[in-house]
Amino acid sequence: ASKAGSAGTNSKPPFPELDFRSGARVEELNKLIQEFTKHDQREYDDQRALEIHTAKDFIFSMLGMVQKLDQKLPVANEYLLLSGGVREGVVDIDLDELNVYARGTDYDMDFTLLVPALKLHDRNQPVTLDMRHSALCHSWLSLRLFDEGTISKWKDCCTIVDHINGATNYFFSPTKVADWFYDSISIVLSEIQKKPQRGMPKVEKVEKNGTIISIILGVGSSRMLYDIVPVVSFKGWPAVAQSWLMENHFWDGKITEEEVISGFYLVPACSYKGKKDNEWRLSFARSEVQLKKCISSSLMQAYQACKAIIIKLLSRPKAISPYHLRSMMLWACDRLPANYLAQEDYAAHFLLGLIDDLQHCLVNKMCPNYFIPQCNMLEHLSEETVMLHARKLSSVRSDPAEHLRTAIEHVKAANRLTLELQRRGSTTSIPSPQSDGGDTNQPDDRLAKKLQQLVTENPGKSISVFINPDDVTRPHFRIDDKFF
């Protein structure tokens, strides 16, 4: 500046970077996103970590008892535990059948647990599903793929189709499986509550929301929401998504193809015009856990902030879910250079881009499924609905800072409600449900510290759980590729 002055020229400071559409300062948007992230991702102390473990322990014990009721569930089962409830878009399930729960008001932390009712884990070839009766991304499931023992166990949860040649085909019914699962969980919880143990979580709510079972547990001063989803689990990869593997992707060279295509699920959700009793939806939740490893923290922060805005804004009528936004983010990762997406101070650019992307998808009524691009997830929406939501998003794009401030106030209010409950609730340490109320400092204190470390080191990551229902005291769980 002194050199410029001595040369007799006027030097002006660089103009702050602005968003052309709204006039918002990019620096301010970045600070607002950072503030949202700070309040949205809370750190847990030892007490809260122990409460998280106690709730998880209780849910796994309950599922072990469900298996023993009528032996329907696989004996050695593998669950997938995801951070965030179904309403947060962690799996592609329609939200219009779900009761509205709010963080702070109804729960403090939320999880989704995928529980395989059936497993097809002995296949090395691409899995071919019966999609003759279904829309893209959906399938019926015939029990012909299974042995006679499995068919006899699950007959009452099937729809039956008699063929002209006299053969009978049993199609696994998502609605009947969900009914059975809810009834079984209700029976087990009733039995557990007859003989309460010291430190056992309080079951505050058990509801069937469409085809998922939502359980809210009170543990000490915490309330945990578990959305439990009965699924069909497959090893390998579906033939309908085989062409996706031939394309170039953002995760190439960062994780192996074997990690990405290790398995998929059928979740109990049908298409807009599908037959609810028969139709399942393909889910790639296991693959998405792996892909998240390759997404930069600044893009994830922008995604979480954008999700908080649209969940409130686009809730009526329910047409856009956070899962649509997640799909758009994955497409953006494929479309944009990795070194651009890795910029730490670009969260504001990414947030504005996600809003633009979502508006573009609405105006064109086109949102391809990331793994099966020929499936348009917005195809069924009316022109009136998409234009209504596009106009709402236009208001966000015109003043993103104000909508971010509103999202920050919402998350701060939820945290205040949680803290108020903690002040009113128990402040003493709680034993695990398996304990007899004796010395709870060993080994639970060590476990609490370990869990606190896991939570802080792995924000938003998912846990696979391997559990033996005959020995529910020893769950083995994995966060991504690390075992504990």
Side-chain angles (χ1 to χ4, degrees):
S2 60
K3 284 181 182 177
S6 64
T9 58
N10 292 325
S11 171
K12 291 184 179 179
F15 203 76
E17 188 179 3
L18 300 179
D19 168 39
F20 185 91
R21 173 71 192 89
S22 65
R25 292 179 61 153
V26 169
E27 183 183 7
E28 182 192 8
L29 294 179
N30 274 327
K31 286 179 179 175
L32 288 169
I33 292 169
Q34 286 168 9
E35 186 180 355
F36 173 82
T37 302
K38 180 182 74 175
H39 294 293
D40 190 49
Q41 295 181 353
R42 299 153 297 165
E43 291 190 4
Y44 304 132
D45 57 15
D46 284 359
Q47 178 67 22
R48 181 58 65 89
L50 182 54
E51 290 167 355
I52 292 171
H53 167 69
T54 301
K56 176 176 68 67
D57 210 26
F58 179 83
I59 292 290
F60 294 157
S61 298
M62 177 199 76
L63 290 170
M65 293 172 70
V66 168
Q67 194 280 333
K68 288 180 178 178
L69 264 186
D70 52 15
Q71 308 294 313
K72 274 186 161 76
L73 293 180
V75 174
N77 216 350
E78 180 181 345
Y79 309 146
L80 185 66
L81 181 61
L82 303 164
S83 306
V86 167
R87 293 156 193 79
E88 292 291 314
V90 295
V91 285
D92 184 15
I93 288 184
D94 310 308
L95 304 184
D96 53 356
E97 292 186 339
L98 307 186
N99 293 340
V100 176
Y101 300 151
R103 197 174 103 182
T105 305
D106 300 296
Y107 65 89
D108 307 309
M109 281 162 288
D110 51 337
F111 304 93
T112 298
L113 186 64
L114 305 189
V115 179
L118 288 175
K119 298 194 301 183
L120 270 174
H121 279 193
D122 55 351
R123 304 234 166 168
N124 294 318
Q125 298 300 316
V127 180
T128 303
L129 297 166
D130 186 355
M131 297 180 166
R132 294 170 296 171
H133 318 283
S134 308
L136 268 169
C137 244
H138 297 80
S139 179
W140 290 22
L141 182 69
S142 169
L143 289 196
R144 283 179 177 173
L145 297 170
F146 298 86
D147 57 69
E148 286 299 323
T150 302
I151 294 172
S152 64
K153 267 188 209 174
W154 286 105
K155 263 184 190 177
D156 55 343
C157 290
C158 292
T159 57
I160 300 170
V161 178
D162 291 318
H163 292 281
I164 300 170
N165 62 8
T168 300
N169 205 346
Y170 296 93
F171 287 102
F172 205 44
S173 169
T175 53
K176 291 185 178 184
V177 170
D179 288 342
W180 162 82
F181 205 25
Y182 175 69
D183 291 343
S184 299
I185 285 174
S186 300
I187 290 168
V188 165
L189 289 177
S190 175
E191 287 299 312
I192 289 174
Q193 287 167 318
K194 286 177 185 174
K195 301 173 184 175
Q197 298 178 31
R198 182 170 178 266
M200 190 173 76
K202 179 187 175 188
V203 180
E204 297 190 353
K205 190 174 288 186
V206 184
E207 289 188 336
K208 187 167 172 288
N209 284 283
T211 52
I212 71 170
I213 293 87
S214 298
I215 299 176
I216 296 179
L217 299 176
V219 191
S221 58
S222 302
R223 296 159 300 165
M224 320 273 179
L225 166 63
Y226 270 83
D227 284 327
I228 302 178
V229 187
V231 299
V232 182
S233 171
F234 294 85
K235 280 280 190 271
W237 198 246
V240 68
Q242 201 68 22
S243 60
W244 176 80
L245 294 174
M246 304 298 112
E247 306 294 332
N248 294 323
H249 297 290
F250 71 98
W251 46 267
D252 291 338
K254 298 175 183 174
I255 52 177
T256 66
E257 187 173 286
E258 287 71 25
E259 289 174 287
V260 174
I261 65 170
S262 63
F264 68 100
Y265 299 98
L266 295 181
V267 296
C270 76
S271 59
Y272 179 63
K273 292 183 178 178
K275 191 173 178 182
K276 283 190 174 185
D277 287 345
N278 282 27
E279 197 169 83
W280 299 77
R281 181 172 295 158
L282 274 77
S283 169
F284 300 91
R286 185 180 291 279
S287 303
E288 288 161 6
V289 169
Q290 300 298 325
L291 298 187
K292 272 176 70 177
K293 297 179 189 176
C294 307
I295 297 175
S296 70
S297 60
S298 50
L299 179 54
M300 282 304 299
Q301 288 174 12
Y303 163 74
Q304 295 292 352
C306 189
K307 183 172 72 169
I309 291 169
I310 70 160
I311 281 178
K312 300 288 184 191
L313 188 76
L314 307 185
S315 60
R316 293 286 183 272
K318 285 182 180 171
I320 294 293
S321 87
Y323 190 82
H324 291 111
L325 188 66
R326 178 189 285 232
S327 301
M328 292 168 204
M329 177 176 65
L330 293 172
W331 282 118
C333 290
D334 273 359
R335 185 177 70 242
L336 295 163
N339 55 358
Y340 167 74
L341 293 174
Q343 298 296 314
E344 289 185 5
D345 56 349
Y346 272 33
H349 296 283
F350 302 153
L351 171 70
L352 298 172
L354 286 169
I355 296 169
D356 288 341
D357 257 10
L358 186 51
Q359 198 167 16
H360 175 83
C361 289
L362 283 165
V363 168
N364 291 282
K365 212 166 79 169
M366 173 63 73
C367 178
N369 180 285
Y370 181 66
F371 298 92
I372 305 177
Q374 58 271 36
C375 171
N376 175 14
M377 296 189 292
L378 300 183
E379 187 176 31
H380 64 281
L381 296 181
S382 69
E383 297 293 336
E384 182 184 14
T385 298
V386 294
M387 290 314 296
L388 170 67
H389 285 322
R391 281 194 291 272
K392 287 181 180 178
L393 275 179
S394 180
S395 71
V396 178
R397 195 61 187 81
S398 298
D399 195 354
E402 183 57 32
H403 284 84
L404 275 171
R405 290 189 196 100
T406 302
I408 290 166
E409 287 308 310
H410 279 139
V411 74
K412 284 166 75 173
N415 291 344
R416 281 196 299 271
L417 284 169
T418 295
L419 288 171
E420 180 61 31
L421 182 78
Q422 284 180 294
R423 277 195 292 269
R424 294 201 308 262
S426 168
T427 55
T428 58
S429 71
I430 52 172
S432 167
Q434 271 78 30
S435 81
D436 58 5
D439 179 11
T440 59
N441 295 323
Q442 304 287 337
D444 280 334
D445 274 357
R446 290 198 303 272
L447 178 63
K449 289 185 174 68
K450 188 65 178 176
L451 280 170
Q452 182 193 11
Q453 181 185 349
L454 296 183
V455 169
T456 53
E457 287 180 356
N458 301 279
K461 291 194 178 178
S462 303
I463 306 169
S464 286
V465 180
F466 302 84
I467 188 163
N468 176 358
D470 294 319
D471 182 13
V472 293
T473 63
R474 295 171 54 199
H476 306 277
F477 54 99
R478 179 183 72 199
I479 296 184
D480 289 341
D481 54 356
K482 292 185 277 186
F483 284 84
F484 301 94

